Amino acid sequence: MAAAAATSAAPRVLSAEPRRRDPVAVGVPPWRLSPGSRVRAASRPRQENVRRGQLISTNIKSRSLLCPPCRCAQMALANTRIAYQPDVKKHSGVLAYELVQGSLVQWNSFMDKSVPDPPTAVLLHGILGSRKNWGSFAKRLAQEFPMWQFLLVDLRCHGDSASIKKRGPHTVASTALDVLKLIVQLRLTPRVLVGHSFGGKVALSMVEQAAKPLARPVRVWVLDATPGKVRAGGDGEDHPAELIESLRRMPMQVSSKQEVVDALVKEQFSVDVARWVATNLRRSSPLGSLSSSSFSWIFDLNGISDMYKSYEETNLWGIVENVPRGVHINFLKAERSLHRWALDDLQRIHTAEELAADEGGGVEMHVLEDAGHWVHADNPDGLFRILSSTFRIEATIRGMQN
């Protein structure tokens, strides 16, 4: 496992001046982009720090690039590995991740352990996605809430984490355990968990499995997913299970991304979804070569198939109907959801709201208008407004000011 992970670059600390922000939909599957949806510019320029990398096992020694505790992390030199102290064997590969930090965050996981970590939110993608789905949205949150940091991960079998071999079973529970292990090794205590679709069930499973390292209170957002049965949409809609099976019939290497798009469209999948799936292709070329006539998939499709089956079968109503004290679970239903929200699901959530209030927890239901299943692409501004309430509440509770 460590050998596979060692091929990727170690965690780096990057600092970048904010540029004119692109629509938040960048990096997510464009099922239905709202015409003219753009992110408004911030009222004053801010910076955000971005750490990208992978927890890896390495014997390479290098001088620390950490800044003094009184300042933010400085920019790491390109291709420089940061040594893990004191025992690198504790940091074998877990998941590929990216840490987007607001401009007022003065912390990183290599500082003195006496330095408390800032308020942290974990953002989880869905099946066939990657951490890049949340990239633009996380930067927008970091600019609006500069004291926060946002952990984006590639779940097992997805993105850069696909190169880290994981033992089965590939389930919602094992995926949640991966994320819990990652936040332990990064010494984080997340205050907010946000999961889209499959990632929503992963967030619920994290709460179910562990009291620590999850903080109390912790706020969970489950975006367009129910705790139990997954009900696919009607005819003419893109069904994930069928999409996975179509991809499994494709060769491991193809001559072009357009070849994949054409093949999927021929099988009645939408052009937008076909193009999004093609973003999981990476050019196959020898080291140092600038051109190649073939592309290969970056995900582990067999593992993803198992994960989706687990998503369909996993029942987490128990954690919703018996919410632990200090946990607040928010469900967000897309107005034009790809999945069918049964009346029974909505009634159970509303009943859970009343029960949770009596037990010191919380359950709440939200509806995002003018959005399909891909909420962060269809209505990013609406989603931002709804999620922002969580960070403002947390800031008020802890006496933080932006």
Side-chain angles (χ1 to χ4, degrees):
M1 179 171 64
T7 60
S8 299
R12 296 185 297 158
V13 180
L14 303 179
S15 181
E17 289 289 338
R19 297 172 296 179
R20 182 175 62 85
R21 282 169 284 175
D22 295 325
V24 175
V26 171
V28 295
W31 290 61
R32 189 179 291 106
L33 296 179
S34 301
S37 293
R38 302 194 64 82
V39 181
R40 290 178 296 177
S43 58
R44 62 182 186 276
R46 290 172 176 166
Q47 290 183 332
E48 67 245 7
N49 304 316
V50 183
R51 289 184 60 235
R52 297 183 178 86
Q54 214 168 42
L55 290 180
I56 65 172
S57 176
T58 175
N59 292 320
I60 296 177
K61 295 181 180 180
S62 60
R63 63 186 180 89
S64 174
L65 296 174
L66 303 182
C67 62
C70 62
R71 298 179 58 192
C72 295
Q74 296 173 336
M75 180 177 291
L77 298 177
N79 300 320
T80 301
R81 293 178 182 271
I82 298 176
Y84 291 99
Q85 301 294 335
D87 183 2
V88 296
K89 292 182 180 179
K90 291 182 180 179
H91 301 279
S92 59
V94 179
L95 293 172
Y97 71 92
E98 183 173 339
L99 192 59
V100 179
Q101 297 179 324
S103 61
L104 300 182
V105 174
Q106 299 183 10
W107 176 95
N108 66 59
S109 62
F110 309 111
M111 280 185 177
D112 188 324
K113 292 186 178 182
S114 64
V115 178
D117 62 289
T120 302
V122 179
L123 307 182
L124 306 171
H125 64 78
I127 289 292
L128 292 173
S130 74
R131 69 181 189 270
K132 293 180 180 179
N133 294 172
W134 283 112
S136 296
F137 199 92
K139 291 177 182 178
R140 183 179 181 184
L141 286 170
Q143 289 175 340
E144 184 69 20
F145 304 100
M147 296 188 69
W148 281 76
Q149 62 183 9
F150 303 87
L151 178 65
L152 287 59
V153 301
D154 283 339
L155 300 177
R156 62 164 59 202
C157 303
H158 291 75
D160 292 330
S161 291
S163 63
I164 306 174
K165 301 304 179 184
K166 296 288 186 182
R167 291 183 179 180
H170 300 297
T171 63
V172 169
S174 63
T175 304
L177 185 58
D178 291 342
V179 182
L180 288 170
K181 288 179 179 178
L182 177 64
I183 63 179
V184 166
Q185 293 199 14
L186 289 177
R187 298 190 301 105
L188 299 175
T189 51
R191 298 291 177 180
V192 178
L193 307 177
V194 182
H196 174 244
S197 196
F198 175 86
K201 275 194 175 179
V202 172
L204 289 176
S205 183
M206 289 173 66
V207 175
E208 182 184 54
Q209 291 187 55
K212 290 185 177 181
L214 297 182
R216 294 292 189 270
V218 61
R219 296 179 181 273
V220 182
W221 283 87
V222 181
L223 307 183
D224 210 39
T226 65
K229 184 177 180 180
V230 176
R231 299 175 176 87
D235 294 336
E237 295 182 349
D238 295 290
H239 295 258
E242 295 175 4
L243 176 59
I244 291 171
E245 290 306 308
S246 293
L247 292 174
R248 294 181 74 170
R249 293 192 295 269
M250 290 187 179
M252 291 298 296
Q253 289 192 336
V254 295
S255 60
S256 69
K257 293 185 178 183
Q258 189 61 44
E259 178 184 333
V260 171
V261 173
D262 292 343
L264 290 176
V265 170
K266 188 175 181 180
E267 294 193 30
Q268 306 303 311
F269 293 99
S270 67
V271 175
D272 287 338
V273 169
R275 289 174 177 167
W276 167 64
V277 169
T279 63
N280 286 291
L281 288 166
R282 185 168 293 169
R283 188 179 295 276
S284 302
S285 58
L287 186 63
S289 174
L290 297 179
S291 63
S292 175
S293 60
S294 65
F295 293 79
S296 57
W297 298 104
I298 61 173
F299 48 48
D300 175 355
L301 203 54
N302 289 330
I304 289 175
S305 179
D306 291 341
M307 292 166 73
Y308 187 75
K309 290 176 183 176
S310 173
Y311 174 56
E312 290 184 309
E313 298 167 358
T314 299
N315 187 328
L316 291 167
W317 277 109
I319 195 70
V320 176
E321 296 175 335
N322 187 24
V323 180
R325 182 173 294 274
V327 175
H328 193 109
I329 301 174
N330 297 272
F331 289 95
L332 184 143
K333 175 187 178 299
E335 185 179 35
R336 303 189 307 271
S337 176
L338 171 69
H339 302 302
R340 291 175 178 170
W341 285 71
L343 181 60
D344 179 59
D345 293 334
L346 299 175
Q347 290 175 338
R348 289 183 74 172
I349 291 174
H350 288 309
T351 300
E353 286 185 61
E354 300 175 3
L355 293 175
D358 295 334
E359 298 297 327
V363 175
E364 196 170 348
M365 187 74 197
H366 308 259
V367 175
L368 181 61
E369 298 178 351
D370 192 27
H373 180 62
W374 296 100
V375 291
H376 36 9
D378 287 353
N379 189 356
D381 290 335
L383 180 63
F384 184 83
R385 285 192 296 270
I386 292 176
L387 290 183
S388 291
S389 63
T390 282
F391 301 106
R392 292 194 179 96
I393 290 172
E394 286 290 316
T396 300
I397 292 174
R398 302 177 197 290
M400 299 183 298
Q401 294 182 355
N402 290 337

